[in-house]
Amino acid sequence: MLTGDIPPNQTIYIKNLNEKVKKEELKRSLYCLFSQYGRILDVVALKTARLRGQAWVVFSEVTAASNAVRQMQGFPFYDKPMRIQYAKTKSDCIAEAEGVYDPNAKKKKKQEEKAERKKRAEEAQQSAPANGKPAESNGGPTSFRQGNQSAQETVPPNNILFIQNLPHETTSMMLQVLFQQYPGFREVRMIEAKPGIAFVEFEDDVQSSMAMQALQGFKITPQNPMAITYAKKKTLKPLRAELLSRTLHRYPHIEYLDLTVCPRIEDSMLNVVSLACKDALCSINLSRSRKLRLICLKWCLKISDLGVQLLALKCKEIRSLDLSYLQITEKCLPSILQLQHLEDLVLEGCLGINDDGLSTLQQSCKSLKTLNMSNCHNHSHVGLLSLINGAENLRELTLAYGPSVTADLAKSLHNFSGLHSVKFDGCLVKCSGIRAIGNWPNSLKELSFSKCSGVTDDSLSFLVQGHKELRKLDITCCRMIMYDSVDSITSSCCSLTSLRMESCSLVPKEAFVLFGQRCQLMEELDVTDTKIDDEGLKSISRCSKLSSLKLGICMNITDNGLKHIGSRCSKLKELDLYRSLGITDEGIAAVTFGCPDLEVINIAYNDKVTDASLISLSRCSRLRVLEIRGCPHVSSKGLSAIAVGCRQLMVLDIKKCFNINDNAMLSLAQFSQNLKQINLSYCSVTDVGLLALASVNRLQNITVLHLGGLTPNGLAAALLACRGITKVKLHASFKPLIPKSLLGYIEAHGCVFHWRDKAFQPCRF
DNA sequence: AGCACA
């Protein structure tokens, strides 16, 4: 037997210890090592000739000592296997505690023993202990676990652990002793100048997590419970940039990204970097990448003129440069305009750019094709002209939410003969400005006055007569226009492929007939919130290339109109019937028969639509997006049919579909493996349905507000099971009911929680 | 190999 004939004792006796280790360190290390078995009352080690290489560890319980003897037998400690037995006698500190300690009697006894020892020097026998394996992490020091949980909440798992609150005398060997008990241990790193902290590296983050769990709150001294978190990775020097897209999301704390060894950095890789490293990234080294063509610095608020100048100086191949919302001024513009290949320049929201600065520009950029100066308020057409001076290839200009569209502005653009596309969204528009645009010598292909105020029937009618080649026109929310505009648009611009006129609510229903009569090349039509009726739809159905049709809040349309669309628009991919209350199952059925390629449909808030609609929609095998929010008469039966028929389904909104329950979730779990996003708020789905849904591998985004059948535990289980989840919208009342540590764990795996506290809205219907 | 409490 390992312990010889010595009876169990709450003190263990250890021999074969490395004699080179200093006494204090030895004691601390032993304390660290054996604390996993229970509370330690004392560690005794002496360096006298007779007692060196041995030690006693006193536990508060015999069972702890027994476990220690068995499990740590042969454990390699400072390179030597420990030999462990029970101590032969009671330790003084125990005797003292029990009130049986008599120092005088002990002294006497000691002297006697010393004399006897001489006689029996050779008789002393110790049975050699057998070899054992080091302990696995079964049963750690639970009573010591009281780590600083909050510190680890958002740090993602890392194979490196960060240890804080260590007593200053801690050595790396002590920590090694402590951490090497756990599989995968690699090394301990301490920084001399920074006592109290250490980094402990494991093979992988599963193994580091095990060690963290076991040693969280471990006390090297009673005052120092150690706080273990995953180390934050701050610098990264990848060898192959093409793998960044898969790995970078795990390191949101990266501050410095060194891409100098990556041979071929491409623009798309930097896009990946910017998406993954949102807040922390301060520095990126691209010194091998002189050939970058596309650089987007949007919202990089700390980059100013100097940075942009350096960039322009170094990366001469830049084709596309986005400097949106940077605090730059005219100072960096000369170096930008000298870029010989620059084609796209985005200066959105650059408020530091004004007429004074622009007026000093000497350069011109011949290669420039597109310029976006949306949300720039501090310049006029004069400054704009200085900027695009000599840009003879300019094709697209976006001046949304900027200075008023005046005749002066329009005239200053008069001679840019290559201009194809101009966007003035959200600008104040003067009639004289619109008329001046109408006088440009070359026809535009694309024009947007979305949400502009000041667009009148007269001026718009005049404008379109001068731009007969127009393909795309956006007059969303130009609320003053009436019949005449539509008449002029359709008669002048016969090649129109896209017209957006949401909320042009003064246009009479007779006007919509003109589209089918005159603009049969139409592919995209947005007549949301207008007076269009079935006659209009009948006419529009002559546009056989129609691919997107938006009829939300169109109260004058019925199934009859949709039947026309279904009978002739076989290319339809997107149909929006949001709150178009005249539509029933019959209309939907007609569309699904005639438009089998339908990919996106919205029938939200329609109280006449039932499962029959969903069953007919299940024929559309390419359906990707289905919005049936607020349809009280659809149930699990219909949605199950969708799940079976529409395997491409990616986005599903079934908010307030009170009759949809767990059964539909089971069908989705079984068939809809492409589902990425779902809104389940107010449905009759419970823990069971949500957990079933968790098996959909691609699920990234779920909204679960006001689900009566959802419990905190059910939610927690489902969230744990959703491995790829990145965004969860939940009611704030759940927040205190889910363990913080669990939320931290899920967040650490890349999920963002959005807590909403909107009150429960009772059923509208 | 060695069983103490500086």
Side-chain angles (χ1 to χ4, degrees), chain A residues 464-490:
Chain A
V464 292
Q465 286 167 36
H467 295 273
K468 295 197 187 309
E469 303 289 311
L470 212 57
R471 298 283 195 277
K472 294 186 173 183
L473 178 63
D474 190 338
I475 47 171
T476 297
C477 295
C478 291
R479 296 175 192 274
M480 291 193 283
I481 69 152
M482 291 181 274
Y483 183 89
D484 287 354
S485 287
V486 177
D487 186 20
S488 305
I489 290 166
T490 51

Side-chain angles (χ1 to χ4, degrees), chain A residues 309-325:
Chain A
Q309 278 171 303
L310 290 173
L311 189 73
L313 218 60
K314 194 167 160 194
C315 300
K316 298 229 193 287
E317 304 276 331
I318 296 177
R319 254 77 166 162
S320 173
L321 186 58
D322 186 342
L323 302 175
S324 302
Y325 301 99

Side-chain angles (χ1 to χ4, degrees), chain A residues 400-607:
Chain A
Y401 303 96
S404 300
V405 182
T406 58
D408 286 339
L409 172 60
K411 280 174 194 159
S412 65
L413 298 171
H414 189 274
N415 292 324
F416 286 88
S417 56
L419 215 47
H420 279 188
S421 163
V422 184
K423 290 177 182 157
F424 294 113
D425 304 11
C427 293
L428 179 67
V429 174
K430 303 275 191 228
C431 288
S432 55
I434 300 190
R435 287 181 164 269
I437 293 171
N439 283 325
W440 287 355
N442 293 293
S443 172
L444 288 166
K445 296 257 168 33
E446 187 172 0
L447 182 60
S448 178
F449 288 116
S450 169
K451 296 171 191 166
C452 287
S453 54
V455 180
T456 60
D457 248 9
D458 277 354
S459 57
L460 188 60
S461 299
F462 179 83
L463 182 147
V464 292
Q465 286 167 36
H467 295 273
K468 295 197 187 309
E469 303 289 311
L470 212 57
R471 298 283 195 277
K472 294 186 173 183
L473 178 63
D474 190 338
I475 47 171
T476 297
C477 295
C478 291
R479 296 175 192 274
M480 291 193 283
I481 69 152
M482 291 181 274
Y483 183 89
D484 287 354
S485 287
V486 177
D487 186 20
S488 305
I489 290 166
T490 51
S491 57
S492 299
C493 313
C494 309
S495 313
L496 210 60
T497 59
S498 168
L499 178 64
R500 295 169 172 266
M501 50 181 295
E502 173 176 350
S503 296
C504 292
S505 32
L506 293 182
V507 174
K509 57 183 189 234
E510 294 77 23
F512 297 93
V513 180
L514 301 173
F515 293 125
Q517 292 169 359
R518 301 173 181 170
C519 301
Q520 291 171 13
L521 298 175
M522 196 74 82
E523 293 169 23
E524 183 184 15
L525 183 62
D526 184 347
V527 287
T528 302
D529 189 20
T530 61
K531 292 185 175 144
I532 189 170
D533 63 0
D534 288 344
E535 279 306 305
L537 286 182
K538 182 180 176 184
S539 166
I540 284 165
S541 72
R542 293 166 66 182
C543 305
S544 59
K545 290 186 173 176
L546 199 67
S547 147
S548 169
L549 180 59
K550 299 204 172 170
L551 301 169
I553 331 178
C554 290
M555 299 307 191
N556 297 331
I557 59 166
T558 72
D559 291 340
N560 291 331
L562 275 194
K563 282 179 193 165
H564 289 293
I565 297 295
S567 67
R568 297 169 84 163
C569 302
S570 60
K571 300 242 167 75
L572 199 69
K573 288 194 170 134
E574 182 171 1
L575 179 61
D576 190 336
L577 296 166
Y578 171 90
R579 282 194 203 276
S580 287
L581 299 180
I583 304 302
T584 75
D585 292 334
E586 227 181 299
I588 304 287
V591 169
T592 61
F593 267 115
C595 317
D597 292 340
L598 210 61
E599 292 177 14
V600 179
I601 190 162
N602 186 341
I603 25 181
Y605 297 108
N606 188 317
D607 59 350

Side-chain angles (χ1 to χ4, degrees), chain A residues 267-321:
Chain A
D267 301 323
S268 59
M269 295 167 191
L270 289 185
N271 195 23
V272 164
V273 170
S274 67
L275 285 173
C277 307
K278 277 174 201 130
D279 298 326
L281 193 68
C282 329
S283 167
I284 179 164
N285 190 337
L286 296 165
S287 68
R288 275 216 196 172
S289 322
R290 288 168 191 272
K291 298 207 167 176
L292 286 174
R293 293 172 168 213
L294 186 155
I295 296 181
C296 176
L297 299 173
K298 190 169 183 174
W299 289 112
C300 295
L301 295 176
K302 298 207 169 156
I303 292 179
S304 61
D305 287 326
L306 180 65
V308 175
Q309 278 171 303
L310 290 173
L311 189 73
L313 218 60
K314 194 167 160 194
C315 300
K316 298 229 193 287
E317 304 276 331
I318 296 177
R319 254 77 166 162
S320 173
L321 186 58

